[in-house]
Short mmCIF file of all heavy atoms in Angstrom, two decimals:
data_model
loop_
_atom_site.label_atom_id
_atom_site.label_comp_id
_atom_site.label_asym_id
_atom_site.label_seq_id
_atom_site.Cartn_x
_atom_site.Cartn_y
_atom_site.Cartn_z
N ILE F 1 0.84 -1.19 0.00
CA ILE F 1 0.00 0.00 0.00
C ILE F 1 0.88 1.25 0.00
O ILE F 1 1.92 1.30 0.68
CB ILE F 1 -0.94 0.00 1.23
CG1 ILE F 1 -1.88 -1.20 1.18
CG2 ILE F 1 -1.74 1.29 1.30
CD1 ILE F 1 -2.77 -1.33 2.40
N LYS F 2 0.48 2.23 -0.74
CA LYS F 2 1.17 3.51 -0.78
C LYS F 2 0.27 4.60 -0.20
O LYS F 2 -0.96 4.49 -0.24
CB LYS F 2 1.56 3.86 -2.21
CG LYS F 2 2.56 2.90 -2.83
CD LYS F 2 2.95 3.33 -4.23
CE LYS F 2 3.98 2.37 -4.83
NZ LYS F 2 4.38 2.78 -6.20
N ALA F 3 0.89 5.63 0.35
CA ALA F 3 0.14 6.71 0.98
C ALA F 3 0.79 8.04 0.66
O ALA F 3 2.01 8.14 0.50
CB ALA F 3 0.06 6.51 2.49
N LEU F 4 -0.05 9.05 0.58
CA LEU F 4 0.41 10.43 0.38
C LEU F 4 0.20 11.17 1.69
O LEU F 4 -0.93 11.25 2.19
CB LEU F 4 -0.39 11.10 -0.75
CG LEU F 4 0.22 12.37 -1.36
CD1 LEU F 4 1.58 12.06 -1.98
CD2 LEU F 4 -0.73 12.95 -2.40
N ALA F 5 1.27 11.69 2.28
CA ALA F 5 1.22 12.24 3.63
C ALA F 5 1.93 13.58 3.70
O ALA F 5 2.62 14.00 2.77
CB ALA F 5 1.83 11.27 4.63
N CYS F 6 1.75 14.22 4.85
CA CYS F 6 2.39 15.51 5.11
C CYS F 6 2.71 15.58 6.60
O CYS F 6 1.89 15.17 7.44
CB CYS F 6 1.47 16.66 4.71
SG CYS F 6 2.17 18.30 5.00
N GLU F 7 3.88 16.07 6.94
CA GLU F 7 4.26 16.16 8.35
C GLU F 7 3.53 17.30 9.04
O GLU F 7 3.43 18.41 8.53
CB GLU F 7 5.76 16.39 8.48
CG GLU F 7 6.24 16.45 9.93
CD GLU F 7 7.72 16.73 10.05
OE1 GLU F 7 8.40 16.79 9.01
OE2 GLU F 7 8.20 16.89 11.19
N VAL F 8 2.98 17.01 10.22
CA VAL F 8 2.33 18.02 11.06
C VAL F 8 3.00 18.00 12.44
O VAL F 8 3.64 17.02 12.83
CB VAL F 8 0.81 17.76 11.19
CG1 VAL F 8 0.11 17.98 9.87
CG2 VAL F 8 0.54 16.35 11.72
N LYS F 9 2.85 19.09 13.17
CA LYS F 9 3.51 19.24 14.46
C LYS F 9 2.58 18.82 15.60
O LYS F 9 1.37 19.02 15.54
CB LYS F 9 3.93 20.69 14.67
CG LYS F 9 4.83 21.27 13.59
CD LYS F 9 6.19 20.60 13.56
CE LYS F 9 7.10 21.28 12.54
NZ LYS F 9 8.43 20.66 12.49
N GLU F 10 3.16 18.25 16.62
CA GLU F 10 2.42 18.01 17.86
C GLU F 10 3.00 18.88 18.97
O GLU F 10 4.16 19.29 18.91
CB GLU F 10 2.48 16.54 18.26
CG GLU F 10 3.87 16.01 18.53
CD GLU F 10 3.85 14.57 18.99
OE1 GLU F 10 2.91 14.20 19.72
OE2 GLU F 10 4.77 13.82 18.63
N SER F 11 2.18 19.15 19.98
CA SER F 11 2.60 20.04 21.05
C SER F 11 3.11 19.22 22.23
O SER F 11 2.33 18.70 23.03
CB SER F 11 1.42 20.93 21.49
OG SER F 11 1.80 21.76 22.57
N THR F 12 4.42 19.10 22.34
CA THR F 12 5.00 18.40 23.49
C THR F 12 4.80 19.20 24.77
O THR F 12 4.74 18.62 25.87
CB THR F 12 6.49 18.14 23.25
OG1 THR F 12 7.14 19.39 22.94
CG2 THR F 12 6.70 17.19 22.09
N PHE F 13 4.69 20.52 24.65
CA PHE F 13 4.46 21.34 25.84
C PHE F 13 3.14 20.97 26.49
O PHE F 13 3.05 20.86 27.72
CB PHE F 13 4.45 22.82 25.45
CG PHE F 13 4.14 23.75 26.59
CD1 PHE F 13 5.12 24.16 27.46
CD2 PHE F 13 2.83 24.19 26.80
CE1 PHE F 13 4.83 25.00 28.54
CE2 PHE F 13 2.53 25.04 27.86
CZ PHE F 13 3.53 25.44 28.73
N ILE F 14 2.09 20.76 25.69
CA ILE F 14 0.79 20.38 26.23
C ILE F 14 0.90 19.04 26.96
O ILE F 14 0.35 18.86 28.06
CB ILE F 14 -0.25 20.29 25.10
CG1 ILE F 14 -0.52 21.66 24.51
CG2 ILE F 14 -1.55 19.67 25.62
CD1 ILE F 14 -1.28 22.59 25.40
N THR F 15 1.63 18.10 26.37
CA THR F 15 1.77 16.78 26.97
C THR F 15 2.44 16.87 28.34
O THR F 15 1.92 16.32 29.33
CB THR F 15 2.60 15.86 26.05
OG1 THR F 15 1.95 15.75 24.78
CG2 THR F 15 2.75 14.48 26.66
N TYR F 16 3.57 17.56 28.43
CA TYR F 16 4.28 17.66 29.71
C TYR F 16 3.49 18.50 30.71
O TYR F 16 3.53 18.23 31.92
CB TYR F 16 5.67 18.26 29.48
CG TYR F 16 6.61 17.33 28.75
CD1 TYR F 16 7.24 17.73 27.57
CD2 TYR F 16 6.87 16.06 29.24
CE1 TYR F 16 8.10 16.88 26.89
CE2 TYR F 16 7.73 15.20 28.57
CZ TYR F 16 8.33 15.62 27.40
OH TYR F 16 9.18 14.76 26.74
N PHE F 17 2.79 19.51 30.23
CA PHE F 17 1.99 20.34 31.12
C PHE F 17 0.89 19.51 31.77
O PHE F 17 0.68 19.58 33.00
CB PHE F 17 1.39 21.50 30.33
CG PHE F 17 0.57 22.45 31.15
CD1 PHE F 17 1.16 23.51 31.81
CD2 PHE F 17 -0.81 22.29 31.27
CE1 PHE F 17 0.41 24.38 32.58
CE2 PHE F 17 -1.57 23.15 32.03
CZ PHE F 17 -0.96 24.21 32.68
N ILE F 18 0.17 18.73 30.98
CA ILE F 18 -0.91 17.91 31.52
C ILE F 18 -0.38 16.85 32.47
O ILE F 18 -0.94 16.61 33.55
CB ILE F 18 -1.71 17.27 30.37
CG1 ILE F 18 -2.50 18.35 29.62
CG2 ILE F 18 -2.65 16.19 30.88
CD1 ILE F 18 -3.24 17.84 28.41
N LEU F 19 0.73 16.20 32.10
CA LEU F 19 1.33 15.21 32.99
C LEU F 19 1.76 15.83 34.32
O LEU F 19 1.58 15.23 35.39
CB LEU F 19 2.52 14.54 32.31
CG LEU F 19 2.21 13.60 31.15
CD1 LEU F 19 3.50 13.11 30.50
CD2 LEU F 19 1.38 12.42 31.62
N GLY F 20 2.33 17.05 34.26
CA GLY F 20 2.75 17.72 35.48
C GLY F 20 1.59 18.09 36.38
O GLY F 20 1.63 17.86 37.60
N VAL F 21 0.52 18.65 35.80
CA VAL F 21 -0.65 19.03 36.59
C VAL F 21 -1.32 17.80 37.18
O VAL F 21 -1.70 17.77 38.36
CB VAL F 21 -1.64 19.84 35.74
CG1 VAL F 21 -2.93 20.11 36.51
CG2 VAL F 21 -1.01 21.16 35.31
N PHE F 22 -1.47 16.74 36.37
CA PHE F 22 -2.10 15.51 36.85
C PHE F 22 -1.31 14.91 38.01
O PHE F 22 -1.89 14.52 39.03
CB PHE F 22 -2.19 14.52 35.69
CG PHE F 22 -2.80 13.19 36.06
CD1 PHE F 22 -4.18 13.04 36.10
CD2 PHE F 22 -2.00 12.10 36.36
CE1 PHE F 22 -4.74 11.81 36.44
CE2 PHE F 22 -2.54 10.88 36.70
CZ PHE F 22 -3.92 10.73 36.74
N SER F 23 0.01 14.86 37.87
CA SER F 23 0.85 14.30 38.94
C SER F 23 0.76 15.13 40.21
O SER F 23 0.68 14.58 41.32
CB SER F 23 2.30 14.20 38.46
OG SER F 23 2.41 13.41 37.30
N ALA F 24 0.78 16.46 40.06
CA ALA F 24 0.71 17.32 41.24
C ALA F 24 -0.61 17.15 41.97
O ALA F 24 -0.65 17.09 43.21
CB ALA F 24 0.90 18.78 40.81
N VAL F 25 -1.71 17.06 41.23
CA VAL F 25 -3.02 16.89 41.87
C VAL F 25 -3.09 15.55 42.60
O VAL F 25 -3.58 15.47 43.73
CB VAL F 25 -4.14 17.00 40.81
CG1 VAL F 25 -5.49 16.61 41.42
CG2 VAL F 25 -4.22 18.42 40.27
N ILE F 26 -2.59 14.50 41.96
CA ILE F 26 -2.61 13.17 42.59
C ILE F 26 -1.79 13.18 43.88
O ILE F 26 -2.22 12.66 44.93
CB ILE F 26 -2.08 12.10 41.61
CG1 ILE F 26 -3.08 11.89 40.47
CG2 ILE F 26 -1.84 10.79 42.34
CD1 ILE F 26 -4.41 11.35 40.90
N LEU F 27 -0.59 13.77 43.83
CA LEU F 27 0.27 13.81 45.02
C LEU F 27 -0.36 14.62 46.14
O LEU F 27 -0.10 14.36 47.33
CB LEU F 27 1.64 14.37 44.65
CG LEU F 27 2.51 13.50 43.75
CD1 LEU F 27 3.79 14.23 43.37
CD2 LEU F 27 2.84 12.17 44.43
N MET F 28 -1.17 15.61 45.79
CA MET F 28 -1.80 16.45 46.80
C MET F 28 -2.96 15.76 47.49
O MET F 28 -3.13 15.86 48.72
CB MET F 28 -2.29 17.75 46.16
CG MET F 28 -1.19 18.75 45.85
SD MET F 28 -0.59 19.61 47.33
CE MET F 28 -1.98 20.68 47.68
N ILE F 29 -3.79 15.05 46.73
CA ILE F 29 -5.05 14.55 47.30
C ILE F 29 -4.97 13.10 47.79
O ILE F 29 -5.75 12.72 48.68
CB ILE F 29 -6.21 14.70 46.30
CG1 ILE F 29 -5.98 13.81 45.07
CG2 ILE F 29 -6.39 16.15 45.90
CD1 ILE F 29 -7.13 13.87 44.07
N VAL F 30 -4.06 12.29 47.25
CA VAL F 30 -4.01 10.89 47.64
C VAL F 30 -3.71 10.70 49.13
O VAL F 30 -4.33 9.85 49.79
CB VAL F 30 -2.99 10.12 46.76
CG1 VAL F 30 -2.63 8.77 47.37
CG2 VAL F 30 -3.57 9.91 45.36
N PRO F 31 -2.76 11.44 49.74
CA PRO F 31 -2.51 11.24 51.17
C PRO F 31 -3.72 11.50 52.05
O PRO F 31 -3.76 11.05 53.20
CB PRO F 31 -1.38 12.24 51.48
CG PRO F 31 -0.70 12.45 50.17
CD PRO F 31 -1.80 12.40 49.16
N PHE F 32 -4.72 12.22 51.56
CA PHE F 32 -5.91 12.53 52.35
C PHE F 32 -7.16 11.90 51.75
O PHE F 32 -8.26 12.43 51.89
CB PHE F 32 -6.09 14.05 52.43
CG PHE F 32 -4.88 14.79 52.91
CD1 PHE F 32 -3.99 15.36 51.99
CD2 PHE F 32 -4.59 14.90 54.26
CE1 PHE F 32 -2.87 16.03 52.43
CE2 PHE F 32 -3.47 15.56 54.70
CZ PHE F 32 -2.59 16.14 53.78
N SER F 33 -6.99 10.78 51.07
CA SER F 33 -8.10 10.16 50.34
C SER F 33 -9.24 9.75 51.26
O SER F 33 -10.41 9.76 50.86
CB SER F 33 -7.60 8.95 49.56
OG SER F 33 -6.97 8.01 50.42
N THR F 34 -8.96 9.39 52.51
CA THR F 34 -10.03 8.97 53.42
C THR F 34 -10.92 10.12 53.84
O THR F 34 -12.08 9.91 54.19
CB THR F 34 -9.43 8.31 54.67
OG1 THR F 34 -8.52 9.24 55.30
CG2 THR F 34 -8.68 7.03 54.32
N SER F 35 -10.40 11.33 53.81
CA SER F 35 -11.18 12.49 54.23
C SER F 35 -11.89 13.19 53.08
O SER F 35 -12.77 14.02 53.32
CB SER F 35 -10.27 13.51 54.94
OG SER F 35 -9.63 12.93 56.05
N ILE F 36 -11.51 12.88 51.85
CA ILE F 36 -12.06 13.60 50.71
C ILE F 36 -13.57 13.47 50.59
O ILE F 36 -14.26 14.47 50.31
CB ILE F 36 -11.35 13.14 49.42
CG1 ILE F 36 -9.92 13.71 49.39
CG2 ILE F 36 -12.11 13.58 48.16
CD1 ILE F 36 -9.10 13.28 48.20
N PRO F 37 -14.18 12.28 50.78
CA PRO F 37 -15.65 12.22 50.67
C PRO F 37 -16.37 13.17 51.62
O PRO F 37 -17.36 13.82 51.24
CB PRO F 37 -15.96 10.76 51.00
CG PRO F 37 -14.72 10.01 50.62
CD PRO F 37 -13.59 10.94 50.96
N MET F 38 -15.88 13.30 52.87
CA MET F 38 -16.51 14.23 53.81
C MET F 38 -16.33 15.67 53.36
O MET F 38 -17.25 16.48 53.44
CB MET F 38 -15.90 14.04 55.20
CG MET F 38 -16.29 12.76 55.88
SD MET F 38 -15.71 12.72 57.60
CE MET F 38 -13.95 12.88 57.37
N TRP F 39 -15.15 16.00 52.86
CA TRP F 39 -14.90 17.37 52.40
C TRP F 39 -15.77 17.72 51.19
O TRP F 39 -16.25 18.84 51.08
CB TRP F 39 -13.42 17.53 52.05
CG TRP F 39 -12.52 17.48 53.26
CD1 TRP F 39 -12.88 17.70 54.55
CD2 TRP F 39 -11.13 17.17 53.28
NE1 TRP F 39 -11.79 17.56 55.38
CE2 TRP F 39 -10.70 17.24 54.63
CE3 TRP F 39 -10.20 16.84 52.30
CZ2 TRP F 39 -9.39 16.99 55.00
CZ3 TRP F 39 -8.88 16.60 52.67
CH2 TRP F 39 -8.48 16.67 54.01
#
């Protein structure tokens, strides 16, 4: 099979930004997971 293609850019900044925010939120709330439902 042959294909006609063109290179496009992806945003690595978005990827690292989302991973950083996700990790920070998890690290913040997991130690207090037993109290979160009441809060």
